[in-house]
Amino acid sequence: MRRLRRSKLFVPGSRPELFDKAFASAADAVSFDLEDAVAADRKAEARSLVARALAGFASAPKERVVRVNPLASGWMIEDLLAVAGPGLDVVNVPKVESPRDLHVAEAVLDHVERRLGLDRPIGLMPTIETPAGLRQAHAIATATPRVVALQLGTGDLAAAAGLRAETGNLVAVRTMLLLAAAEAGVDALDSAFTGIADLPGYEADARMSRGLGFRGKSCIHPTQVPIANRVFQPTVRELAEARALVDAYDAAVRAGIGAFTHEGRLVDLPIAEAARALIVAAEG
């Protein structure tokens, strides 16, 4: 079922004293970071810390994400082998520029899942943060059924393109990523906002992306979480439409119909389940 991904709170994988605080927050997802937030000489230590934490938080009612290092770094496979297991929901793969990055990650996850006997596949969340990645966004989003969302990363993209990563300058970039995600049928999640003390700026940035159709935004500090949750909360209209769709689907199933049109839209099981999940997540 489609998950609510309004807020994804990053926590450095080398800072275990912050893990409990992250899971005590109202964030929909907690993302352990093995990449930018961890110094090179602490990568192995961070893997061990995150692996233990995932086992400890395996029953937490949050989506559990790990941002691994990019394929080109030479550390991604070690990261995956260390953290993949029943406590991990999604792997965030940074700096993805082609489907190959995800094919490699998928091969490693296939191996681990077979070895551990996991019956629930671990998802993939590629981050688009280079011009090449943006150009290939749709191919990346459809590289494997494991892809659950496209994540925008504006920091590296801005550096590569000479772009000032300010709200008003990001409409075209956000739109390109959003359309790729929409065509692929996966969530579009917005980048972090680095002005930790500028909460009004974070909210303005979030409202811009929400207006374009993004479903959530990264948070690099717990104070940003309630803003993201409020901005990306499904609206009254969206919930009303979801309830009507679920009611119509349930009535169709009782009548022996599996797929039908509702308000000019084809509805089948996956679409009904996505609407049902939206209702449960928003009200639960």
Side-chain angles (χ1 to χ4, degrees):
M1 295 194 301
R2 193 174 191 179
R3 303 189 69 143
L4 203 61
R5 296 189 171 103
R6 303 166 300 176
S7 53
K8 178 165 63 66
L9 178 61
F10 278 108
V11 58
S14 55
R15 299 284 304 277
E17 72 275 13
L18 300 179
F19 294 174
D20 285 339
K21 295 178 182 178
F23 276 88
S25 75
D28 291 331
V30 170
S31 181
F32 295 100
D33 189 10
L34 297 178
E35 192 207 10
D36 290 340
V38 178
D41 62 354
R42 297 195 67 190
K43 298 288 186 184
E45 176 192 4
R47 289 185 197 111
S48 297
L49 290 170
V50 169
R52 286 199 295 271
L54 288 169
F57 290 110
S59 60
K62 292 185 186 297
E63 189 166 42
R64 295 168 297 276
V65 183
V66 173
R67 179 165 75 170
V68 297
N69 288 279
L71 179 62
S73 72
W75 288 318
M76 186 183 79
I77 293 176
E78 292 178 73
D79 291 343
L80 291 170
L81 290 173
V83 304
L88 178 62
D89 294 313
V90 177
V91 173
N92 179 201
V93 184
K95 299 179 178 64
V96 177
E97 293 191 328
S98 79
R100 176 176 176 270
D101 301 54
L102 301 186
H103 293 157
V104 172
E106 181 174 45
V108 177
L109 293 176
D110 283 345
H111 165 75
V112 173
E113 289 166 356
R114 284 195 301 270
R115 178 166 57 84
L116 297 179
L118 301 183
D119 56 6
R120 178 182 58 84
I122 296 167
L124 289 171
M125 181 187 297
T127 300
I128 305 299
E129 47 191 325
T130 67
L134 192 59
R135 175 172 50 82
Q136 294 263 35
H138 179 260
I140 291 167
T142 56
T144 162
R146 289 181 185 268
V147 175
V148 299
L150 286 185
Q151 170 81 52
L152 177 63
T154 56
D156 287 277
L157 182 61
L163 172 72
R164 291 180 64 88
E166 299 170 353
T167 300
N169 297 338
L170 296 175
V171 174
V173 170
R174 282 172 165 156
T175 300
M176 290 175 67
L177 184 135
L178 175 74
L179 292 176
E183 185 178 358
V186 300
D187 289 342
L189 304 178
D190 196 26
S191 180
F193 183 85
T194 57
I196 294 174
D198 184 9
L199 295 182
Y202 180 91
E203 180 162 354
D205 203 52
R207 289 196 179 280
M208 168 68 80
S209 61
R210 174 69 168 95
L212 290 171
F214 281 75
R215 283 179 50 83
K217 185 170 179 64
S218 291
C219 304
I220 56 174
H221 193 274
T223 57
Q224 296 175 338
V225 169
I227 298 173
N229 286 350
R230 183 176 71 252
V231 171
F232 291 97
Q233 178 70 18
T235 65
V236 171
R237 177 179 176 180
E238 288 169 337
L239 287 172
E241 290 175 347
R243 291 190 190 98
L245 188 150
V246 168
D247 289 345
Y249 178 78
D250 290 344
V253 169
R254 288 194 295 272
I257 301 171
F260 62 101
T261 57
H262 173 74
E263 301 292 334
R265 178 188 183 191
L266 175 67
V267 174
D268 57 9
L269 178 60
I271 292 174
E273 288 301 296
R276 204 183 305 275
L278 183 70
I279 295 167
V280 170
E283 297 182 345

